[in-house]
Amino acid sequence: MSVGVIGLGYVGLPLAVAFAEAGERVIAVDLDEAKVAMIQAGESYIEDVSSERLHALRSRIEATTQLEAVAETEAVLICVPTPLTPNREPDLVPLLDAARALGGVVRRGQLVILESTTYPGTTREQLVPLLEQRGLTVGDGLNVAFSPERVDPGRTDYTLRNTPKVVGGMTPQCTERAVALYTRICDHLVPVSNPEIAEMSKLLENIFRSVNIALVNELAILADRMELDIWEVIEAAATKPYGFMRFDPGPGMGGHCLPVDPFYLTWRAREFHMSTEFIELAGKINQQMPYYCVERIERALNDAEKPVKGSRIAMLGVSYKGGTGDTRESPALRIIEVLAQRGAVLSYHDQFVPALPEFGLQNSSLDQILDADVIVLVTAHPDIDYGAVVQSAQLFVDLRGKTRGLAVKDLVRL
Ligand SMILES: NC(=O)c1ccc[n+]([C@@H]2O[C@H](COP(=O)([O-])OP(=O)(O)OC[C@H]3O[C@@H](n4cnc5c(N)ncnc54)[C@H](O)[C@@H]3O)[C@@H](O)[C@H]2O)c1
């Protein structure tokens, strides 16, 4: 068995490694020459894959920038990005480029699976026609399925192996083949009737999170005005053994998924004369959170009789979530941008992010930021003693609820 993986990012590289560890030969393709060179050298650029693991698999993973190389494999997984255009519409260019190139080399008997998150209908309407360009057709020489990726970067309790995987093929045989493939790396497969169900299920998962995060963010703003501790409210509500699921407020959503994917469905819904109001409202509230957090920082400084202009403000954690160095859409970037416009002198500590070139900032050590006028906890990475940082800080703004239970003055919590 040999597997081709197109797109070697947060989704594609762990998949390539999983198949290689299961004993398969993997042809790993990316346009990015630097990534390909690193894989060839056994050096990982994704936190969830250690360089030791990658190094040990060098004989099984063949990394290349030449997509034609996947022609000799039995199955090809497409894991390219699905971003939004500047007008917040689906940008399928990376997917269509990969599909067009694959369509030029696809062979009879191959199974092609799309893993990138996208709107219902993409596999059937966009991918399949490009794969059929050389005369093969789905069901006759070609199998095609959609299987959404559920990887949660930085997470160790749920991995590719023990997270159920949804699979929807264009035909029952396509589903069957895709299930058989994933059985090598995944314990629980969830076959569904067609690709559209699988595409929509992934969007439902992400929209569910986006809407619930927005709800609790809105309540956090209200609790602030009412002078109630939102964290105590949430903890009390979470004691209900049924009918409640805990979500925590924070500085806003980041990463490739939550700020982006729901709008794929919003766009698609327009074709069906629907406006997806929950999605829009959740997006609006979550996008406002970094600005609200700036206001909380300003208020905290004001209480300490300091203006933002000229104050030394240090961010603690700038990636979009704990345990990863991914800064895509990170709310920390928006907070830094707004504070910089207002004249703050900024620095940051994040062991996963060596530099933020767009702001001319380099990672400072934790010790170096301790004398800032205010330290703002934006993203809580593991292995940091937040209690000790709070004790040493002049003023500490906690946007993640990590300091609950600490009775310290000069501490402000979202
Ligand atoms: N990151 C996550 O946590 C996550 C989770 C679930 C689903 N997804 C979805 O998976 C998809 C990929 O996300 P990601 O986070 O791995 O993205 P990523 O940006 O980390 O990786 C994508 C890779 O694809 C490469 N690429 C782009 N166009 C290409 C082409 N035409 N041919 C070959 N390579 C190409 C890029 O160079 C990049 O290395 C997206 O649709 C995303 O929504 C992501």
Side-chain angles (χ1 to χ4, degrees):
M1 186 79 191
S2 55
V3 180
V5 179
I6 302 175
L8 305 170
Y10 287 88
V11 168
L13 187 60
L15 271 171
V17 165
F19 278 108
E21 284 178 341
E24 321 298 351
R25 186 170 156 254
V26 177
I27 309 284
V29 183
D30 203 292
L31 294 177
D32 186 336
E33 287 174 10
K35 284 184 180 165
V36 168
M38 284 184 78
I39 296 172
Q40 285 167 344
E43 286 170 35
S44 178
Y45 43 84
I46 301 275
E47 291 89 12
D48 290 349
V49 174
S50 69
S51 292
E52 293 72 48
R53 265 175 91 193
L54 199 54
H55 204 265
L57 296 168
R58 276 199 307 168
S59 61
R60 292 217 199 106
I61 301 181
E62 191 185 310
T64 173
T65 54
Q66 305 302 309
L67 190 138
E68 309 81 75
V70 300
E72 59 188 78
T73 61
E74 283 151 76
V76 183
L77 310 178
I78 304 176
C79 312
V80 298
T82 43
L84 293 171
T85 65
N87 294 335
R88 302 192 72 70
E89 292 185 350
D91 176 2
L92 289 186
V93 170
L95 173 55
L96 298 180
D97 283 352
R100 206 170 289 119
L102 183 57
V105 297
V106 74
R107 269 191 312 103
R108 175 167 290 278
Q110 272 187 317
L111 165 68
V112 177
I113 305 176
L114 178 59
E115 290 242 359
S116 306
T117 308
T118 184
Y119 61 80
T122 309
T123 305
R124 190 180 302 274
E125 295 164 23
Q126 305 291 336
L127 176 61
V128 166
L130 291 170
L131 296 179
E132 290 181 336
Q133 62 182 278
R134 287 206 313 163
L136 290 176
T137 53
V138 168
D140 181 22
L142 184 63
N143 289 125
V144 180
F146 181 84
S147 179
E149 182 50 58
R150 283 173 159 169
V151 67
D152 185 9
R155 186 162 206 138
T156 49
D157 52 348
Y158 282 104
T159 60
L160 261 173
R161 170 61 66 190
N162 65 355
T163 306
K165 195 152 179 40
V166 174
V167 181
M170 291 285 294
T171 66
Q173 198 211 7
C174 296
T175 307
E176 216 171 279
R177 278 194 70 193
V179 166
L181 174 76
Y182 286 122
T183 301
R184 292 158 197 253
I185 59 162
C186 183
D187 292 338
H188 310 284
L189 276 303
V190 185
V192 296
S193 308
N194 52 50
E196 288 78 9
I197 299 278
E199 289 163 334
M200 183 92 154
S201 74
K202 172 69 186 179
L203 291 178
L204 172 59
E205 290 167 23
N206 285 352
I207 292 162
F208 174 81
R209 289 192 50 221
S210 169
V211 167
N212 280 286
I213 291 169
L215 171 66
V216 80
N217 277 339
E218 187 173 69
L219 294 185
I221 297 171
L222 177 63
D224 171 32
R225 287 207 194 162
M226 298 170 90
E227 297 187 13
L228 293 173
D229 180 347
I230 186 67
W231 301 96
E232 195 174 351
V233 172
I234 293 167
E235 265 164 32
T239 58
K240 186 176 180 184
Y242 53 87
F244 182 82
M245 185 178 284
R246 180 181 177 139
F247 285 84
D248 288 347
M253 294 185 314
H256 185 345
C257 296
L258 295 192
V260 174
D261 302 344
F263 297 99
Y264 267 63
L265 194 60
T266 297
W267 176 86
R268 182 64 161 174
R270 280 187 219 125
E271 249 180 87
F272 296 83
H273 312 290
M274 274 281 295
S275 65
T276 51
E277 293 181 30
F278 273 103
I279 297 174
E280 297 283 3
L281 181 59
K284 191 173 145 197
I285 293 172
N286 290 329
Q287 276 167 20
Q288 280 305 313
M289 283 312 285
Y291 299 95
Y292 171 72
C293 292
V294 167
E295 188 208 310
R296 293 295 300 266
I297 297 163
E298 283 178 339
R299 232 197 294 158
L301 280 169
N302 190 53
D303 290 344
E305 295 174 25
K306 290 179 182 174
V308 169
K309 191 166 186 159
S311 283
R312 287 162 307 138
I313 304 182
M315 302 288 142
L316 190 48
V318 294
S319 62
Y320 85 93
K321 67 179 282 196
T324 160
D326 190 350
T327 57
R328 288 179 295 183
E329 309 270 342
S330 172
L333 306 184
R334 188 48 47 87
I335 294 173
I336 291 175
E337 186 188 334
V338 177
L339 289 171
Q341 282 162 359
R342 295 184 191 174
V345 181
L346 289 146
S347 60
Y348 79 90
H349 170 71
D350 189 319
Q351 69 263 45
F352 294 96
V353 183
L356 292 176
E358 63 272 48
F359 299 109
L361 294 175
Q362 302 275 336
N363 180 31
S364 302
S365 70
L366 198 47
D367 281 347
Q368 282 171 325
I369 64 163
L370 286 181
D371 71 340
D373 292 300
V374 56
I375 297 176
V376 184
L377 171 54
V378 185
T379 298
H381 288 304
D383 305 328
I384 291 187
D385 182 350
Y386 292 103
V389 179
V390 171
Q391 296 288 352
S392 310
Q394 293 187 42
L395 175 61
F396 193 91
V397 176
D398 174 4
L399 304 177
R400 292 290 181 180
K402 280 281 164 189
T403 58
R404 282 221 59 218
L406 290 181
V408 185
K409 71 179 189 53
D410 302 319
L411 168 63
V412 171
R413 227 178 352 259
L414 180 66

mmCIF file of all heavy atoms in Angstrom, residues 383-402:
data_model
loop_
_atom_site.group_PDB
_atom_site.id
_atom_site.type_symbol
_atom_site.label_atom_id
_atom_site.label_comp_id
_atom_site.label_asym_id
_atom_site.label_seq_id
_atom_site.Cartn_x
_atom_site.Cartn_y
_atom_site.Cartn_z
ATOM 1 N N ASP A 383 3.071 24.628 31.168
ATOM 2 C CA ASP A 383 4.402 24.741 31.811
ATOM 3 C C ASP A 383 4.790 26.171 32.172
ATOM 4 O O ASP A 383 5.971 26.505 32.202
ATOM 5 C CB ASP A 383 5.516 24.135 30.912
ATOM 6 C CG ASP A 383 5.205 22.701 30.533
ATOM 7 O OD1 ASP A 383 4.577 22.022 31.372
ATOM 8 O OD2 ASP A 383 5.542 22.289 29.409
ATOM 9 N N ILE A 384 3.825 27.051 32.391
ATOM 10 C CA ILE A 384 4.168 28.381 32.904
ATOM 11 C C ILE A 384 3.487 28.521 34.270
ATOM 12 O O ILE A 384 2.299 28.182 34.418
ATOM 13 C CB ILE A 384 3.705 29.500 31.944
ATOM 14 C CG1 ILE A 384 4.549 29.451 30.666
ATOM 15 C CG2 ILE A 384 3.808 30.877 32.603
ATOM 16 C CD1 ILE A 384 4.334 30.592 29.702
ATOM 17 N N ASP A 385 4.229 28.978 35.242
ATOM 18 C CA ASP A 385 3.679 29.170 36.585
ATOM 19 C C ASP A 385 3.030 30.555 36.626
ATOM 20 O O ASP A 385 3.679 31.553 36.951
ATOM 21 C CB ASP A 385 4.822 29.023 37.609
ATOM 22 C CG ASP A 385 4.306 29.166 39.042
ATOM 23 O OD1 ASP A 385 3.139 29.562 39.216
ATOM 24 O OD2 ASP A 385 5.102 28.892 39.959
ATOM 25 N N TYR A 386 1.748 30.602 36.276
ATOM 26 C CA TYR A 386 1.073 31.898 36.174
ATOM 27 C C TYR A 386 0.979 32.592 37.532
ATOM 28 O O TYR A 386 1.072 33.814 37.612
ATOM 29 C CB TYR A 386 -0.309 31.738 35.517
ATOM 30 C CG TYR A 386 -0.163 31.341 34.067
ATOM 31 C CD1 TYR A 386 -0.370 30.027 33.666
ATOM 32 C CD2 TYR A 386 0.248 32.268 33.117
ATOM 33 C CE1 TYR A 386 -0.185 29.649 32.342
ATOM 34 C CE2 TYR A 386 0.436 31.903 31.796
ATOM 35 C CZ TYR A 386 0.217 30.589 31.419
ATOM 36 O OH TYR A 386 0.412 30.221 30.115
ATOM 37 N N GLY A 387 0.839 31.788 38.586
ATOM 38 C CA GLY A 387 0.791 32.369 39.935
ATOM 39 C C GLY A 387 2.058 33.168 40.216
ATOM 40 O O GLY A 387 1.998 34.298 40.717
ATOM 41 N N ALA A 388 3.213 32.599 39.858
ATOM 42 C CA ALA A 388 4.489 33.279 40.109
ATOM 43 C C ALA A 388 4.601 34.537 39.254
ATOM 44 O O ALA A 388 5.086 35.577 39.726
ATOM 45 C CB ALA A 388 5.652 32.328 39.798
ATOM 46 N N VAL A 389 4.132 34.476 38.003
ATOM 47 C CA VAL A 389 4.209 35.657 37.120
ATOM 48 C C VAL A 389 3.337 36.776 37.695
ATOM 49 O O VAL A 389 3.760 37.937 37.765
ATOM 50 C CB VAL A 389 3.769 35.313 35.668
ATOM 51 C CG1 VAL A 389 3.841 36.553 34.774
ATOM 52 C CG2 VAL A 389 4.609 34.188 35.089
ATOM 53 N N VAL A 390 2.135 36.409 38.143
ATOM 54 C CA VAL A 390 1.219 37.419 38.701
ATOM 55 C C VAL A 390 1.869 38.090 39.912
ATOM 56 O O VAL A 390 1.801 39.315 40.072
ATOM 57 C CB VAL A 390 -0.129 36.761 39.099
ATOM 58 C CG1 VAL A 390 -1.004 37.740 39.867
ATOM 59 C CG2 VAL A 390 -0.866 36.268 37.869
ATOM 60 N N GLN A 391 2.519 37.300 40.761
ATOM 61 C CA GLN A 391 3.158 37.858 41.971
ATOM 62 C C GLN A 391 4.228 38.876 41.598
ATOM 63 O O GLN A 391 4.385 39.891 42.276
ATOM 64 C CB GLN A 391 3.825 36.733 42.796
ATOM 65 C CG GLN A 391 2.861 35.714 43.358
ATOM 66 C CD GLN A 391 1.999 36.258 44.507
ATOM 67 O OE1 GLN A 391 2.211 37.360 44.987
ATOM 68 N NE2 GLN A 391 0.980 35.506 44.905
ATOM 69 N N SER A 392 4.965 38.617 40.495
ATOM 70 C CA SER A 392 6.072 39.510 40.128
ATOM 71 C C SER A 392 5.614 40.701 39.295
ATOM 72 O O SER A 392 6.344 41.689 39.187
ATOM 73 C CB SER A 392 7.114 38.760 39.291
ATOM 74 O OG SER A 392 7.462 37.566 39.910
ATOM 75 N N ALA A 393 4.431 40.594 38.668
ATOM 76 C CA ALA A 393 4.000 41.648 37.732
ATOM 77 C C ALA A 393 3.539 42.897 38.470
ATOM 78 O O ALA A 393 2.996 42.809 39.573
ATOM 79 C CB ALA A 393 2.859 41.119 36.856
ATOM 80 N N GLN A 394 3.743 44.070 37.815
ATOM 81 C CA GLN A 394 3.196 45.310 38.390
ATOM 82 C C GLN A 394 1.678 45.300 38.282
ATOM 83 O O GLN A 394 0.966 45.741 39.166
ATOM 84 C CB GLN A 394 3.730 46.517 37.618
ATOM 85 C CG GLN A 394 5.216 46.745 37.778
ATOM 86 C CD GLN A 394 5.610 48.059 37.108
ATOM 87 O OE1 GLN A 394 4.925 49.059 37.222
ATOM 88 N NE2 GLN A 394 6.729 48.045 36.402
ATOM 89 N N LEU A 395 1.222 44.823 37.117
ATOM 90 C CA LEU A 395 -0.211 44.760 36.839
ATOM 91 C C LEU A 395 -0.405 43.591 35.884
ATOM 92 O O LEU A 395 0.402 43.408 34.968
ATOM 93 C CB LEU A 395 -0.643 46.089 36.185
ATOM 94 C CG LEU A 395 -2.078 46.231 35.688
ATOM 95 C CD1 LEU A 395 -3.076 46.081 36.835
ATOM 96 C CD2 LEU A 395 -2.273 47.611 35.034
ATOM 97 N N PHE A 396 -1.449 42.788 36.104
ATOM 98 C CA PHE A 396 -1.631 41.589 35.281
ATOM 99 C C PHE A 396 -3.076 41.546 34.795
ATOM 100 O O PHE A 396 -4.007 41.658 35.588
ATOM 101 C CB PHE A 396 -1.319 40.343 36.124
ATOM 102 C CG PHE A 396 -1.171 39.079 35.328
ATOM 103 C CD1 PHE A 396 0.083 38.684 34.856
ATOM 104 C CD2 PHE A 396 -2.267 38.268 35.053
ATOM 105 C CE1 PHE A 396 0.231 37.511 34.126
ATOM 106 C CE2 PHE A 396 -2.123 37.103 34.314
ATOM 107 C CZ PHE A 396 -0.868 36.724 33.857
ATOM 108 N N VAL A 397 -3.244 41.424 33.478
ATOM 109 C CA VAL A 397 -4.585 41.278 32.912
ATOM 110 C C VAL A 397 -4.702 39.852 32.374
ATOM 111 O O VAL A 397 -3.933 39.443 31.502
ATOM 112 C CB VAL A 397 -4.851 42.309 31.783
ATOM 113 C CG1 VAL A 397 -6.214 42.059 31.143
ATOM 114 C CG2 VAL A 397 -4.785 43.729 32.336
ATOM 115 N N ASP A 398 -5.652 39.104 32.922
ATOM 116 C CA ASP A 398 -5.802 37.683 32.594
ATOM 117 C C ASP A 398 -7.022 37.516 31.690
ATOM 118 O O ASP A 398 -8.156 37.672 32.136
ATOM 119 C CB ASP A 398 -5.975 36.909 33.910
ATOM 120 C CG ASP A 398 -6.279 35.436 33.687
ATOM 121 O OD1 ASP A 398 -6.289 35.002 32.519
ATOM 122 O OD2 ASP A 398 -6.515 34.733 34.681
ATOM 123 N N LEU A 399 -6.764 37.201 30.405
ATOM 124 C CA LEU A 399 -7.875 37.030 29.460
ATOM 125 C C LEU A 399 -8.291 35.564 29.339
ATOM 126 O O LEU A 399 -9.098 35.225 28.484
ATOM 127 C CB LEU A 399 -7.473 37.573 28.077
ATOM 128 C CG LEU A 399 -7.006 39.042 28.035
ATOM 129 C CD1 LEU A 399 -6.564 39.434 26.626
ATOM 130 C CD2 LEU A 399 -8.120 39.967 28.523
ATOM 131 N N ARG A 400 -7.697 34.677 30.175
ATOM 132 C CA ARG A 400 -7.967 33.237 30.053
ATOM 133 C C ARG A 400 -8.446 32.564 31.331
ATOM 134 O O ARG A 400 -8.559 31.342 31.383
ATOM 135 C CB ARG A 400 -6.691 32.520 29.585
ATOM 136 C CG ARG A 400 -6.273 32.857 28.166
ATOM 137 C CD ARG A 400 -7.215 32.272 27.143
ATOM 138 N NE ARG A 400 -6.781 32.597 25.797
ATOM 139 C CZ ARG A 400 -7.426 32.200 24.706
ATOM 140 N NH1 ARG A 400 -8.517 31.486 24.791
ATOM 141 N NH2 ARG A 400 -6.982 32.541 23.516
ATOM 142 N N GLY A 401 -8.649 33.325 32.368
ATOM 143 C CA GLY A 401 -9.163 32.732 33.610
ATOM 144 C C GLY A 401 -8.176 31.818 34.312
ATOM 145 O O GLY A 401 -8.575 30.963 35.096
ATOM 146 N N LYS A 402 -6.890 32.002 34.064
ATOM 147 C CA LYS A 402 -5.873 31.129 34.663
ATOM 148 C C LYS A 402 -5.571 31.512 36.107
ATOM 149 O O LYS A 402 -4.906 30.763 36.816
ATOM 150 C CB LYS A 402 -4.565 31.216 33.853
ATOM 151 C CG LYS A 402 -4.586 30.375 32.620
ATOM 152 C CD LYS A 402 -4.316 28.934 32.986
ATOM 153 C CE LYS A 402 -4.705 28.005 31.861
ATOM 154 N NZ LYS A 402 -4.671 26.611 32.239
#
